[in-house]
Short mmCIF file of all heavy atoms in Angstrom, two decimals:
data_model
loop_
_atom_site.label_atom_id
_atom_site.label_comp_id
_atom_site.label_asym_id
_atom_site.label_seq_id
_atom_site.Cartn_x
_atom_site.Cartn_y
_atom_site.Cartn_z
N ILE A 1 14.17 38.70 19.05
CA ILE A 1 14.36 39.52 20.26
C ILE A 1 13.21 39.25 21.24
O ILE A 1 13.44 39.12 22.45
CB ILE A 1 14.45 41.02 19.91
CG1 ILE A 1 15.77 41.30 19.18
CG2 ILE A 1 14.37 41.88 21.17
CD1 ILE A 1 15.86 42.67 18.55
N GLU A 2 11.98 39.16 20.73
CA GLU A 2 10.83 38.87 21.59
C GLU A 2 11.00 37.52 22.27
O GLU A 2 10.69 37.37 23.46
CB GLU A 2 9.53 38.88 20.76
CG GLU A 2 9.00 40.26 20.46
CD GLU A 2 8.66 41.04 21.73
OE1 GLU A 2 8.20 40.44 22.71
OE2 GLU A 2 8.90 42.27 21.73
N ARG A 3 11.48 36.53 21.52
CA ARG A 3 11.68 35.19 22.10
C ARG A 3 12.77 35.24 23.16
O ARG A 3 12.64 34.64 24.23
CB ARG A 3 12.06 34.17 21.00
CG ARG A 3 12.31 32.76 21.55
CD ARG A 3 12.53 31.74 20.46
NE ARG A 3 13.66 32.07 19.60
CZ ARG A 3 14.93 31.87 19.94
NH1 ARG A 3 15.25 31.39 21.13
NH2 ARG A 3 15.89 32.17 19.09
N ARG A 4 13.83 35.98 22.88
CA ARG A 4 14.92 36.11 23.86
C ARG A 4 14.43 36.81 25.14
O ARG A 4 14.87 36.47 26.23
CB ARG A 4 16.11 36.87 23.25
CG ARG A 4 16.88 36.07 22.20
CD ARG A 4 18.15 36.80 21.80
NE ARG A 4 18.87 36.10 20.74
CZ ARG A 4 19.68 35.06 20.93
NH1 ARG A 4 19.87 34.59 22.15
NH2 ARG A 4 20.31 34.50 19.92
N MET A 5 13.54 37.78 24.98
CA MET A 5 12.98 38.46 26.15
C MET A 5 12.15 37.50 26.99
O MET A 5 12.22 37.52 28.23
CB MET A 5 12.15 39.67 25.72
CG MET A 5 12.95 40.88 25.24
SD MET A 5 14.00 41.59 26.55
CE MET A 5 12.76 42.23 27.70
N ARG A 6 11.36 36.65 26.33
CA ARG A 6 10.56 35.66 27.06
C ARG A 6 11.47 34.67 27.78
O ARG A 6 11.23 34.32 28.94
CB ARG A 6 9.61 34.91 26.10
CG ARG A 6 8.44 35.76 25.61
CD ARG A 6 7.38 34.90 24.96
NE ARG A 6 7.87 34.16 23.80
CZ ARG A 6 7.89 34.64 22.57
NH1 ARG A 6 7.46 35.87 22.32
NH2 ARG A 6 8.34 33.90 21.56
N ASP A 7 12.52 34.23 27.07
CA ASP A 7 13.49 33.31 27.69
C ASP A 7 14.17 33.96 28.89
O ASP A 7 14.41 33.32 29.91
CB ASP A 7 14.56 32.88 26.67
CG ASP A 7 14.02 31.97 25.59
OD1 ASP A 7 12.90 31.45 25.75
OD2 ASP A 7 14.72 31.80 24.56
N ALA A 8 14.49 35.26 28.75
CA ALA A 8 15.15 36.00 29.83
C ALA A 8 14.25 36.09 31.06
O ALA A 8 14.71 35.91 32.19
CB ALA A 8 15.53 37.40 29.36
N GLU A 9 12.96 36.34 30.84
CA GLU A 9 12.02 36.42 31.96
C GLU A 9 11.95 35.09 32.70
O GLU A 9 11.92 35.04 33.94
CB GLU A 9 10.64 36.83 31.46
CG GLU A 9 10.53 38.31 31.12
CD GLU A 9 9.12 38.71 30.70
OE1 GLU A 9 8.15 38.16 31.29
OE2 GLU A 9 8.99 39.54 29.80
N ASN A 10 11.94 34.00 31.95
CA ASN A 10 11.90 32.67 32.56
C ASN A 10 13.18 32.44 33.37
O ASN A 10 13.13 31.95 34.51
CB ASN A 10 11.75 31.60 31.48
CG ASN A 10 11.78 30.20 32.07
OD1 ASN A 10 11.06 29.89 33.02
ND2 ASN A 10 12.63 29.35 31.53
N GLU A 11 14.33 32.79 32.78
CA GLU A 11 15.62 32.61 33.46
C GLU A 11 15.65 33.44 34.75
O GLU A 11 16.04 32.95 35.81
CB GLU A 11 16.75 33.04 32.52
CG GLU A 11 18.15 32.78 33.03
CD GLU A 11 18.61 31.34 32.89
OE1 GLU A 11 18.05 30.60 32.05
OE2 GLU A 11 19.51 30.95 33.64
N MET A 12 15.23 34.69 34.67
CA MET A 12 15.28 35.59 35.83
C MET A 12 14.34 35.17 36.95
O MET A 12 14.57 35.51 38.11
CB MET A 12 14.99 37.04 35.40
CG MET A 12 16.11 37.64 34.56
SD MET A 12 15.90 39.41 34.19
CE MET A 12 14.49 39.40 33.08
N SER A 13 13.29 34.43 36.61
CA SER A 13 12.34 34.00 37.64
C SER A 13 12.98 33.02 38.64
O SER A 13 12.43 32.76 39.70
CB SER A 13 11.11 33.35 37.00
OG SER A 13 11.43 32.07 36.47
N HIS A 14 14.18 32.52 38.31
CA HIS A 14 14.87 31.56 39.18
C HIS A 14 15.97 32.20 40.02
O HIS A 14 16.78 31.50 40.63
CB HIS A 14 15.46 30.43 38.32
CG HIS A 14 14.41 29.57 37.67
ND1 HIS A 14 13.85 28.46 38.28
CD2 HIS A 14 13.79 29.69 36.47
CE1 HIS A 14 12.95 27.93 37.49
NE2 HIS A 14 12.89 28.66 36.38
N TYR A 15 15.97 33.53 40.08
CA TYR A 15 17.03 34.23 40.83
C TYR A 15 17.11 33.78 42.29
O TYR A 15 18.17 33.75 42.90
CB TYR A 15 16.80 35.75 40.77
CG TYR A 15 15.72 36.25 41.70
CD1 TYR A 15 16.01 36.61 43.01
CD2 TYR A 15 14.39 36.31 41.27
CE1 TYR A 15 15.01 37.04 43.88
CE2 TYR A 15 13.39 36.74 42.13
CZ TYR A 15 13.70 37.09 43.43
OH TYR A 15 12.72 37.50 44.29
N GLY A 16 15.96 33.40 42.88
CA GLY A 16 15.91 33.02 44.29
C GLY A 16 16.63 31.73 44.63
O GLY A 16 16.81 31.41 45.81
N GLU A 17 17.09 31.00 43.61
CA GLU A 17 17.81 29.75 43.84
C GLU A 17 19.32 29.98 44.00
O GLU A 17 20.07 29.04 44.24
CB GLU A 17 17.55 28.79 42.66
CG GLU A 17 16.08 28.40 42.54
CD GLU A 17 15.70 27.88 41.15
OE1 GLU A 17 16.61 27.45 40.41
OE2 GLU A 17 14.50 27.91 40.83
N PHE A 18 19.74 31.25 43.88
CA PHE A 18 21.17 31.58 43.91
C PHE A 18 21.58 32.24 45.22
O PHE A 18 20.76 32.79 45.94
CB PHE A 18 21.52 32.47 42.71
CG PHE A 18 21.43 31.72 41.40
CD1 PHE A 18 20.19 31.40 40.85
CD2 PHE A 18 22.58 31.33 40.73
CE1 PHE A 18 20.10 30.68 39.66
CE2 PHE A 18 22.49 30.61 39.53
CZ PHE A 18 21.26 30.29 39.01
N ASP A 19 22.88 32.20 45.53
CA ASP A 19 23.39 32.75 46.78
C ASP A 19 23.56 34.26 46.72
O ASP A 19 23.40 34.96 47.72
CB ASP A 19 24.75 32.12 47.12
CG ASP A 19 24.66 30.63 47.33
OD1 ASP A 19 23.79 30.20 48.12
OD2 ASP A 19 25.44 29.87 46.69
N TYR A 20 23.95 34.79 45.54
CA TYR A 20 24.24 36.21 45.39
C TYR A 20 23.53 36.77 44.17
O TYR A 20 23.39 36.07 43.16
CB TYR A 20 25.75 36.46 45.22
CG TYR A 20 26.59 36.05 46.40
CD1 TYR A 20 27.16 34.78 46.46
CD2 TYR A 20 26.83 36.94 47.46
CE1 TYR A 20 27.94 34.40 47.54
CE2 TYR A 20 27.62 36.56 48.53
CZ TYR A 20 28.17 35.29 48.57
OH TYR A 20 28.94 34.92 49.64
N LEU A 21 23.11 38.04 44.27
CA LEU A 21 22.53 38.75 43.14
C LEU A 21 23.38 39.96 42.82
O LEU A 21 23.68 40.76 43.70
CB LEU A 21 21.11 39.24 43.47
CG LEU A 21 19.94 38.27 43.32
CD1 LEU A 21 18.64 38.99 43.68
CD2 LEU A 21 19.85 37.72 41.90
N VAL A 22 23.79 40.08 41.56
CA VAL A 22 24.57 41.24 41.11
C VAL A 22 23.81 41.90 39.97
O VAL A 22 23.39 41.23 39.02
CB VAL A 22 25.97 40.80 40.63
CG1 VAL A 22 26.71 41.95 39.96
CG2 VAL A 22 26.79 40.24 41.79
N VAL A 23 23.61 43.22 40.07
CA VAL A 23 22.93 43.96 38.99
C VAL A 23 23.99 44.63 38.12
O VAL A 23 24.80 45.42 38.61
CB VAL A 23 21.96 45.03 39.56
CG1 VAL A 23 21.32 45.82 38.42
CG2 VAL A 23 20.89 44.37 40.42
N ASN A 24 23.99 44.30 36.84
CA ASN A 24 24.98 44.88 35.92
C ASN A 24 24.42 46.16 35.29
O ASN A 24 24.01 46.17 34.14
CB ASN A 24 25.37 43.87 34.84
CG ASN A 24 26.48 44.40 33.95
OD1 ASN A 24 27.17 45.36 34.29
ND2 ASN A 24 26.66 43.76 32.80
N ASP A 25 24.41 47.22 36.11
CA ASP A 25 24.04 48.55 35.63
C ASP A 25 25.32 49.30 35.33
O ASP A 25 25.59 49.68 34.18
CB ASP A 25 23.21 49.26 36.70
CG ASP A 25 22.66 50.60 36.21
OD1 ASP A 25 22.88 50.93 35.04
OD2 ASP A 25 22.01 51.29 37.00
N ASP A 26 26.16 49.48 36.34
CA ASP A 26 27.50 50.03 36.19
C ASP A 26 28.47 48.84 36.09
O ASP A 26 28.64 48.09 37.05
CB ASP A 26 27.83 50.90 37.40
CG ASP A 26 29.22 51.51 37.33
OD1 ASP A 26 30.20 50.73 37.30
OD2 ASP A 26 29.33 52.74 37.32
#
C-alpha cells in the first residue's frame, strides 16, 4: 500500500499534462 501511494503521488504530479481534471469524490 505504501508503494502504491508513492506511485500514485508520482502519477498525480503529471496532472498538468492533461486537458481535463475530474475529481472522483461523488
Side-chain angles (χ1 to χ4, degrees):
I1 290 169
E2 281 299 325
R3 179 174 59 78
R4 288 189 184 279
M5 285 296 293
R6 288 194 299 273
D7 290 346
E9 284 183 37
N10 177 51
E11 186 79 21
M12 290 187 291
S13 72
H14 293 272
Y15 77 89
E17 296 160 22
F18 291 74
D19 298 309
Y20 297 93
L21 277 181
V22 171
V23 178
N24 185 17
D25 186 3
D26 179 299

